[in-house]
Amino acid sequence: MAHVPESLKKYVCVHCSVTHAGTPIHLDGGEHSFEPPESCGACGGSEFVPASEWIHHHK
């Protein structure tokens, strides 16, 4: 069976709009889920929106 690469989940900081790669969390079966970082590396903010929902996000 061929390996299918997982898609990386991205998160956008609500305060400064910097995009971050999600932190991979290992699941059973070799799969991963992704969580936003604890804080933004650019501004220190702690509120993130999945990049796929950014266009629909309103402050």
Side-chain angles (χ1 to χ4, degrees):
M1 186 168 167
H3 175 73
V4 177
E6 294 182 68
S7 295
L8 175 68
K9 190 163 184 181
K10 298 176 191 172
Y11 294 90
V12 180
C13 176
V14 171
H15 302 284
C16 71
S17 302
V18 168
T19 302
H20 295 271
T23 302
I25 306 300
H26 298 280
L27 304 174
D28 291 338
E31 305 241 344
H32 298 92
S33 68
F34 295 92
E35 295 182 355
E38 290 186 23
S39 63
C40 175
C43 75
S46 61
E47 189 177 352
F48 297 90
V49 174
S52 61
E53 297 174 20
W54 179 246
I55 194 88
H56 304 291
H57 176 74
H58 301 283
K59 279 189 170 181

